[in-house]
Amino acid sequence: MKRNIVIAAVTTVALIGGGTATALAVSGDDGTSARQASVSTDDHRQDRTDDRDGDRDGDDSVRVASARVTAAEAIDAALARTPGTAVAAELDDDRGGRGEWEVDILAADGSWHSVDVNALTGKVTSAHGEDEDDTAEVRRALAGTSVSAAEAARAAAGQGTVTAVELEDDSDDRGWEIDVRSSGDEHDVHVDLNSGKVTTDHDD
């Protein structure tokens, strides 16, 4: 009899409150109904929040904007950990939502290293050796030049948020090729290895 009274009360609430009370209808008469309904409703709310967070995590522009450490700062941090010549740096914005910079470094002894830098704190999170076979080409491209990867990144920052820096060692178009995001658009920027002159190539 007591259970029937509870079910009747639940039915009345369901007619007034809609689907939220559905969880009450399957509850017993031991006093846990309200608590279970509250937990169920909270779970649904959390699921919706998680979905929205997932959508935001999928938006590259949100993650790029949340990166507090610039490309130049990440390169400086990586070189402090592993001395050498920075040849490339890229913002990996798919690291649990926080983002990390991946910096490629050519050491003086010819060995290659990849250094990860947290895009929020600027701290080095990992460093390991890499196998590369273009050491000679890179050294030829940089021989006698005066603009480093960090300096190129700083020069290109006037065009927007730098998300990648890479050495173009092709003899016809040597320079720093930089990806820049501005107002939701991406641009390719070229920085001269000697003069530091910035040229915007085109929109992606």
Side-chain angles (χ1 to χ4, degrees), residues 104-105 110-115 128-132:
D104 294 336
I105 296 174
S111 61
W112 286 87
H113 304 267
S114 178
V115 181
H128 57 274
E130 290 284 328
D131 292 327
E132 298 286 349

Side-chain angles (χ1 to χ4, degrees), residues 1-14 24-29:
M1 175 66 73
K2 191 173 182 181
R3 179 178 176 80
N4 291 338
I5 294 173
V6 171
I7 292 174
V10 167
T11 303
T12 303
V13 173
L24 290 172
V26 297
S27 302
D29 57 355

